[in-house]
Amino acid sequence: MTWPAAAPAGTPRLRLEPLRVAHAAEAARLFDDVRLHTWTGGAPATAEELEARYRRQSAGHSPDGRQGWLNWMLRRLTDGRLVGTVQATLSHPDADEEPGVTEAALAWVIGVEHQGEGYGREGALAMADWLRAHGVDRFTAHIHPGHEASMAIARALGLRATDRIADGEVLWRPGHGTPSSKRA
């Protein structure tokens, strides 16, 4: 299976840089805050742990090739500072029922000191535009039921909460009448 490779993208305030192993040291400093794990569990990763993770993710696909992995680091244009990351895991979930449909499970993380400034929404919308332009048909997200900021981003993407919960997170899918293939 051939998946699209992440390419640079941008917004008026952000540059979306395809993930590289070289981002690990800077990302470790940005994400070294236990508050980021309130909703996801776990603890901040070290630079070495991020290097290993980013090396795997930079491959662009799962080891078996069944999923595409697209990751971007969000860099603020005004001062060049890293503010967060957005990612998409691509799959063909209903190949028998809907051949050729590509779905992206979306995620985003914004450093604590940069939260509340709209970077998550801006980066997620830019990523969604890029994905649409590269043949992605549908978006989903998994969000902790108390994470209001992430829910607002999901709504901006045209997603609505479902009654499905996995690992304590609610599955969000395109809302009725608002397909995720169109910007909300």
Side-chain angles (χ1 to χ4, degrees):
M1 169 88 26
T2 301
W3 298 103
T11 73
R13 298 189 305 160
L14 299 171
R15 181 172 60 242
L16 282 72
E17 299 175 357
L19 179 70
R20 298 183 324 268
V21 174
H23 285 117
E26 187 179 8
R29 290 187 301 275
L30 174 67
F31 299 135
D32 186 18
D33 193 315
V34 295
R35 293 174 289 179
L36 286 175
H37 298 273
T38 300
W39 307 112
T40 61
T46 66
E48 294 77 23
E49 290 168 332
L50 287 180
E51 281 181 21
R53 180 182 309 157
Y54 291 176
R55 189 168 287 107
R56 286 188 308 274
Q57 291 174 334
S58 294
H61 56 81
S62 61
D64 65 5
R66 294 179 62 177
Q67 294 180 328
W69 296 340
L70 300 173
N71 297 271
W72 290 268
M73 302 307 282
L74 304 177
R75 190 170 301 280
R76 189 167 49 202
L77 294 175
T78 57
D79 60 7
R81 288 189 66 194
L82 195 65
V83 298
T85 184
V86 292
Q87 65 185 51
T89 301
L90 306 181
S91 65
H92 298 295
D94 301 316
D96 294 333
E97 295 174 28
E98 298 178 275
V101 170
T102 301
E103 183 174 278
L106 306 180
W108 43 86
V109 178
I110 302 300
V112 171
E113 66 184 274
H114 305 291
Q115 292 177 1
E117 299 177 37
Y119 295 129
R121 176 187 167 106
E122 191 172 326
L125 288 170
M127 172 179 57
D129 285 346
W130 189 94
L131 291 166
R132 281 186 205 97
H134 290 84
V136 175
D137 306 292
R138 183 170 51 220
F139 304 131
T140 65
H142 290 84
I143 300 172
H144 187 282
H147 198 309
E148 296 294 332
S150 279
M151 288 188 260
I153 293 170
R155 282 191 290 275
L157 291 165
L159 304 177
R160 300 293 176 258
T162 69
D163 59 0
R164 292 184 49 200
I165 298 176
D167 297 324
E169 295 182 323
V170 176
L171 172 65
W172 286 63
R173 290 193 163 279
H176 181 68
T178 43
S180 65
S181 60
K182 297 181 182 172
R183 183 178 239 175

